[in-house]
Amino acid sequence: MTIERMENVEVITSEGKGRGLKATKEFWAADVIFAERAYSAVVFDRLAARIMWRVEREGTGLTEGCLVSVDDLQNHVEHFGEEEQKELRMDVDTFLQYWPPQSQQFSMQYISHIFGVINCNGFTLSDQRGLQAVGVGIFPNLGLVNHNCWPNCTVIFNNGKIELRALGKISEGEELTVSYIDFLNFSEERKKQLKKQYYFDCTCEHCQKGLKDDLFLGVKDNPKPSQEVVKEMIQFSKDTLEKIDKARSEGLYHEVVKLCRECLEKQEPVFADTNIYTLRLLSIVSEVLSYLQAFEEASHYARRMVDGYMKLYHPNNAQLGMAIMRAGLTNWHAGNIEVGHSMICKAYAILLVTHGPSHPITKDLEGMRMQTEMELRMFRQNEFMYHKMREAALNNQPMQVMAEPSNEPAPALFHKKQ
């Protein structure tokens, strides 16, 4: 395992938060604070075995460049519920069946600790473009980085290594933080999710003050709907989302589109475009319509979605960058070259910070940016000829087919065993 630039951070202990990392020098956006090589891209049992083999071979002491050992990471086993405890015992029993008797033997307590560490500290390892999960890894140094719903860093898996990247200026002595979950939810729901998955109460400023909750639950101002109407629309939206999940799981994509259209029409006089329930529907319908190659309608919904996202997300948020990139591609497919190019440029600027110039997605996006820039010049010189040339090109070469929609979102970096 290779670790870069560890001299610029140090371990801290904050009362009530446990260990963390703080900067010992000033950082700026796009700085790679440190990077660790991936050495365990495997599922739970195999990852546990690899950790045990490493402990057997190297011991539990700190290796060069490591700030913390696996033994010192939190396992939260004592906070597991009855069902989780049952699953843990099954995992340990399964592990012991396959662990070689001639190898070093570990206690049930230690094996439970390792499984708990993986459960709470595992990072999802994705394919080169971050679209498909391929395994789980443990990176002890990154396990020290605490959560904040509005963090100053992000974690990206890039070309075989996992990177902690600065999202903006980080002052000397400031704690380095990342977000364990997607920010796109109101504070009470985020707190519930963090408590359930990571066993702590979030006390970040956004959760304490409910920042942006008014936008996540936004309603129209003129005329402003009554509380009863809002409550009914929230319940209707939840019911519709359940129907949509069922239709998606059965591959009934035209039914998904129908349900989304109907619900968005009912939401229109009640919810603002930053409302979480509206944004979820806009995301689903734009994705499914793109898959069905109904790009003109999909581009309309994608633009609305991006407008809402930009009022909610941190300006250098990886999910925001990816969403704008997809919306830009949808608009390009629809022939909206000006909007498509603008969005692709915005996405490229964000991903340069969050992913870095060497990441495959950023390289792909740079190629898209150059292509759409060339097309935009042609469009401005002669709009009629541009559309004629585009039509001819599309007739001679099949249009790119979008990936089939899935109930599963793009893999979250912070892994939680399902």
Side-chain angles (χ1 to χ4, degrees), residues 92-122:
V92 173
D93 288 342
T94 302
F95 175 84
L96 288 171
Q97 289 176 22
Y98 294 99
W99 183 249
Q102 67 272 20
S103 297
Q104 178 182 339
Q105 297 303 302
F106 297 94
S107 68
M108 297 276 286
Q109 183 178 2
Y110 188 75
I111 299 170
S112 297
H113 165 74
I114 295 300
F115 274 101
V117 164
I118 296 171
N119 189 59
C120 299
N121 295 275

Side-chain angles (χ1 to χ4, degrees), residues 332 336-338 340-342 344-345 365-383 385-387 389-390 393 397:
W332 176 81
N336 303 325
I337 185 62
E338 291 178 303
H341 176 68
S342 174
I344 285 170
C345 288
L365 201 50
E366 168 66 358
M368 296 173 202
R369 188 182 67 83
M370 294 172 67
Q371 179 180 338
T372 55
E373 185 175 333
M374 178 185 67
E375 290 187 21
L376 184 57
R377 287 198 205 102
M378 294 170 58
F379 173 82
R380 286 173 174 167
Q381 287 171 0
N382 191 320
E383 184 176 341
M385 285 302 299
Y386 165 75
H387 285 294
M389 291 176 65
R390 177 184 171 85
Q397 185 175 354

Side-chain angles (χ1 to χ4, degrees), residues 254 257-258 260-262 264 282 285-290 292-304 330-331 333-334 336:
H254 289 284
V257 172
K258 177 175 174 290
C260 287
R261 286 175 181 150
E262 290 173 352
L264 285 167
L282 291 172
V285 73
S286 61
E287 177 193 358
V288 173
L289 283 168
S290 293
L292 296 174
Q293 298 197 10
F295 294 114
E296 187 59 47
E297 186 179 3
S299 67
H300 164 70
Y301 291 124
R303 289 198 295 271
R304 284 181 61 191
T330 300
N331 275 273
H333 275 287
N336 303 325

Side-chain angles (χ1 to χ4, degrees), residues 47-78:
L47 177 53
R50 288 198 177 190
I51 293 172
M52 301 292 190
W53 281 324
R54 189 160 182 160
V55 170
E56 182 180 28
R57 186 175 67 251
E58 301 176 6
T60 59
L62 293 180
T63 56
E64 183 181 357
C66 282
L67 300 172
V68 64
S69 72
V70 173
D71 287 1
D72 294 326
L73 293 176
Q74 288 277 3
N75 60 52
H76 289 289
V77 170
E78 70 276 13

Side-chain angles (χ1 to χ4, degrees), residues 232-274:
E232 288 176 1
M233 185 51 61
I234 289 174
Q235 188 58 53
F236 178 77
S237 300
K238 287 179 177 179
D239 293 342
T240 302
L241 285 166
E242 287 183 8
K243 293 176 184 176
I244 288 169
D245 284 344
K246 185 174 185 298
R248 289 178 81 181
S249 67
E250 296 172 357
L252 304 175
Y253 299 124
H254 289 284
E255 178 66 15
V256 169
V257 172
K258 177 175 174 290
L259 288 166
C260 287
R261 286 175 181 150
E262 290 173 352
C263 192
L264 285 167
E265 187 177 350
K266 287 183 179 293
Q267 287 178 350
E268 179 62 30
V270 181
F271 289 161
D273 261 6
T274 58

Side-chain angles (χ1 to χ4, degrees), residues 11-211:
V11 181
I12 58 173
T13 302
S14 304
E15 187 175 351
K17 291 186 72 176
R19 291 186 172 192
L21 291 180
K22 77 172 181 179
T24 57
K25 67 178 287 292
E26 206 167 62
F27 292 109
W28 297 84
D31 270 357
V32 179
I33 295 170
F34 64 82
E36 295 189 75
R37 291 285 173 186
Y39 64 90
S40 294
V42 288
V43 293
F44 267 50
D45 287 341
R46 291 176 62 200
L47 177 53
R50 288 198 177 190
I51 293 172
M52 301 292 190
W53 281 324
R54 189 160 182 160
V55 170
E56 182 180 28
R57 186 175 67 251
E58 301 176 6
T60 59
L62 293 180
T63 56
E64 183 181 357
C66 282
L67 300 172
V68 64
S69 72
V70 173
D71 287 1
D72 294 326
L73 293 176
Q74 288 277 3
N75 60 52
H76 289 289
V77 170
E78 70 276 13
H79 298 130
F80 282 15
E82 186 176 337
E83 191 61 33
E84 288 175 307
Q85 290 283 358
K86 182 180 177 181
E87 290 178 4
L88 176 61
R89 287 193 294 270
M90 290 173 62
D91 286 337
V92 173
D93 288 342
T94 302
F95 175 84
L96 288 171
Q97 289 176 22
Y98 294 99
W99 183 249
Q102 67 272 20
S103 297
Q104 178 182 339
Q105 297 303 302
F106 297 94
S107 68
M108 297 276 286
Q109 183 178 2
Y110 188 75
I111 299 170
S112 297
H113 165 74
I114 295 300
F115 274 101
V117 164
I118 296 171
N119 189 59
C120 299
N121 295 275
F123 286 84
T124 298
L125 305 182
S126 61
D127 60 11
Q128 287 284 54
R129 282 162 178 76
L131 301 177
Q132 183 175 352
V134 297
V136 184
I138 287 291
F139 302 86
N141 288 333
L142 282 176
L144 289 172
V145 184
N146 283 320
H147 165 84
N148 192 302
C149 290
W150 200 259
N152 55 20
C153 296
T154 190
V155 180
I156 295 296
F157 190 62
N158 180 18
N159 291 311
K161 62 183 180 181
I162 200 160
E163 298 178 346
L164 183 69
R165 302 182 63 85
L167 295 179
K169 181 181 176 182
I170 300 176
S171 303
E172 181 178 344
E174 185 178 348
E175 183 177 4
L176 309 179
T177 58
V178 294
S179 182
Y180 295 175
I181 60 173
D182 188 2
F183 177 71
L184 210 67
N185 216 331
F186 44 94
S187 55
E188 282 306 313
E189 287 300 313
R190 291 199 308 272
K191 287 165 74 173
K192 286 179 186 176
Q193 186 179 352
L194 289 164
K195 185 70 171 179
K196 180 180 179 181
Q197 294 187 2
Y198 300 102
Y199 311 100
F200 70 88
D201 296 307
C202 185
T203 57
C204 77
E205 183 182 21
H206 274 69
C207 283
Q208 283 187 324
K209 296 181 179 179
L211 301 180

